[in-house]
Amino acid sequence: MATQYAITGTTAKEIAASVERGVSDGSLGPGAALPPVRRLADDLGVSPGTVATAYKELRVRGIVVTRGRGGTVVAEVPSVAPRRPPKVPEGLRDLAGGHPDPALLPALVPPSRLSPGARSHRSMPKLARLEEAVRDRLARDGVPVDHVTFAHGALDLLARLFSVELRPGDAVAMEDPGYHHLLDLVAALGLRAVPVAVDDEGMRPEALEAALRAGVRAVVCSPRAQNPYGGSFTRARRDALVEVLRTAPDVLVVENDHASEVAGAPLWTLTSGGHARWVHVRTVSKFLGTDLRWAAAACDATTLARHDGRLLLTSGWVSHLLQETVHGLMTDDSTRALVARARDAYALRRTALLGELSARGIAAHGASGMNLWVPVRDESAVVNGLRSRGWWVAAGARFRLASAPGVRISVAELEPSDGALLAGDFAAVLGESQATYGG
């Protein structure tokens, strides 16, 4: 029970605001239980209905959740206090962040031609030359390009799209383990994540089928470089998933191709299967620059209208300065050569570490992208053990819904020679863990 924070207020609005303040300043942490409705009503001298209305408002806004007999508690990822990764301790090699190697990114130079004057771009939100370049790239990968839009990154697009497509309480099929920021976003919007198991080929068809039977209204998946598992659709897996989705034509399918150019695997896209509601999202932060918060999306006509209608009411358009920068890099021969070098380097570093771990009897997954997922029994023991040896890896808890424990290792800046050192330390840590907790 929230005994360290006194909830105040005499109206539903005031009570909800008091709880929100407690969550925002950390007085009410994730999982903290709120008082039962009748008890808080007695304490504040209001009716139980007033408290119930306040709690309902907080649930709708993704700040609290109800756990049946467990009562009302602060959400694990409340919308007013998003979870952030822990700060990397000084002196450790950071293999947890998932960022690209800065040495393999082009220099970000503002465009020489700036937008003239102070004017609105609402009537022409997309640069025609950038839209043409995007259509060309997506079409080469087999993605339909009749309808294309831009956003400030994949999470920005999905937050806007989910806000018009879904309602709090709706179920969304999510990869498990999956990208933690997407899991956080779904929770913050008051949506319910339904775990879908993945393997080296991405989402497992039988797991997706089970999620559809559970009534999900949207599916979010990665066709390659799945984060954190590294899975990549094969043609056979794509075809199997397309068949499963035929039973649910009204479900929105979101394909997040976040690593695209540096994934190290071909794209077998679900969007070519004729599904009615879909969106394919592609960002550039992994290979053009982490500060380029830009995304392109191809989608069906209904999805385009709903997304762009909400975009028009909020930011209006994506900065033309940003679009000019992306277009300049995307069409530059030296940048394309650097991106190709980055793709090959990440593949070499990933496969080298996989080989070193395998040589020591350690199973790991990383068919594409720049991350490896290593199943372990005790995440904390492995993370702390590697920390004592100078390595900082990500505990899998942030990425998991119902899947087994593991740790994520980002290999973007890990040279093959360093991979051998890490694998040796990993094996030693596992040996220590088994000696402490049993085999």
Side-chain angles (χ1 to χ4, degrees):
M1 186 180 302
T3 57
Q4 301 301 314
Y5 181 80
I7 299 173
T8 60
T10 57
T11 66
K13 182 177 180 179
E14 291 173 350
I15 295 168
S18 176
V19 173
E20 181 175 345
R21 284 194 299 272
V23 174
S24 298
D25 66 21
S27 299
L28 293 171
L34 301 188
V37 169
R38 290 189 178 278
R39 181 181 303 170
L40 183 58
D42 289 341
D43 291 344
L44 299 179
V46 299
S47 72
T50 298
V51 176
T53 300
Y55 282 11
K56 179 180 179 180
E57 170 67 18
L58 292 166
R59 283 196 302 273
V60 168
R61 295 177 49 222
I63 297 175
V64 303
V65 295
T66 299
R67 294 177 175 172
R69 290 188 175 183
T72 300
V73 303
V74 177
E76 289 300 319
V77 191
S79 57
V80 295
R83 175 170 49 181
R84 295 186 181 276
K87 186 177 181 180
V88 180
E90 187 175 349
L92 299 188
R93 285 285 302 275
D94 182 11
L95 304 180
H99 306 301
D101 185 346
L104 296 173
L105 295 175
L108 297 184
V109 180
S112 58
R113 293 191 305 117
L114 303 182
S115 298
R119 62 188 180 89
S120 170
H121 294 296
R122 290 179 188 273
S123 61
M124 297 180 61
K126 298 189 293 290
L127 289 180
R129 53 188 172 277
L130 178 57
E131 184 174 3
E132 181 181 357
V134 166
R135 289 181 188 274
D136 180 62
R137 289 196 176 203
L138 292 176
R140 288 202 304 263
D141 282 335
V143 178
V145 292
D146 292 337
H147 308 286
V148 172
T149 190
F150 298 160
H152 301 93
L155 291 172
D156 172 71
L157 181 141
L158 292 181
R160 187 176 299 112
L161 194 55
F162 284 166
S163 71
V164 296
E165 292 279 351
L166 307 175
R167 294 293 179 267
D170 283 348
V172 181
M174 304 292 293
E175 296 167 325
D176 185 24
Y179 182 40
H180 58 92
H181 287 308
L182 270 174
L183 296 175
D184 289 353
L185 174 63
V186 166
L189 293 174
L191 305 173
R192 181 165 52 89
V194 175
V196 178
V198 301
D199 58 22
D200 291 332
E201 296 183 28
M203 270 191 169
R204 291 166 51 181
E206 71 277 9
L208 176 59
E209 188 173 13
L212 293 175
R213 287 199 303 267
V216 299
R217 294 195 56 200
V219 175
V220 182
C221 63
S222 301
R224 51 186 171 177
Q226 195 273 343
N227 187 358
Y229 207 88
S232 177
F233 289 170
T234 59
R235 182 200 294 265
R237 176 58 58 86
R238 187 275 309 274
D239 291 347
L241 293 173
V242 166
E243 285 302 311
V244 171
L245 289 168
R246 291 192 197 284
T247 65
D250 295 329
V251 168
L252 175 66
V253 176
V254 177
E255 196 170 65
N256 180 20
D257 192 20
H258 66 98
S260 60
E261 303 290 329
V262 292
L267 176 67
W268 295 104
T269 176
L270 298 175
T271 65
S272 61
H275 196 74
R277 299 298 316 284
W278 61 273
V279 57
H280 176 94
V281 188
R282 190 169 292 191
T283 53
V284 297
S285 59
K286 295 299 184 186
F287 55 91
L288 293 185
T290 54
D291 205 34
L292 289 179
R293 311 312 299 169
W294 175 86
C299 53
D300 65 89
T302 299
T303 300
L304 179 80
R306 292 178 179 178
H307 173 270
D308 285 7
R310 181 58 61 91
L311 178 67
L312 184 65
L313 295 173
T314 53
S315 60
W317 68 90
V318 175
S319 164
H320 279 207
L321 298 181
L322 176 58
Q323 293 188 50
E324 290 276 15
T325 302
V326 171
H327 179 264
L329 292 170
M330 195 177 281
T331 56
D332 176 66
D333 288 339
S334 61
T335 298
R336 284 198 289 261
L338 180 61
V339 171
R341 184 157 67 90
R343 179 196 62 222
D344 295 342
Y346 295 146
L348 175 63
R349 295 168 189 180
R350 185 183 69 251
T351 55
L353 182 55
L354 281 170
E356 294 290 351
L357 290 170
S358 177
R360 292 162 176 81
I362 302 172
H365 304 273
S368 58
M370 57 182 67
N371 297 306
L372 263 64
W373 179 260
V374 187
V376 298
R377 193 178 67 172
D378 188 325
E379 294 177 359
S380 295
V382 171
V383 170
N384 291 328
L386 289 175
R387 175 178 179 173
S388 70
R389 288 168 168 78
W391 308 100
W392 186 248
V393 301
R398 298 176 64 219
F399 305 89
R400 297 188 291 108
L401 292 170
S403 55
V407 296
R408 190 192 74 170
I409 302 174
S410 296
V411 301
E413 297 184 69
L414 192 71
E415 295 290 349
S417 58
D418 293 332
L421 296 174
L422 172 61
D425 286 340
F426 206 115
V429 168
L430 289 181
E432 292 174 358
S433 177
Q434 287 181 347
T436 300
Y437 300 107

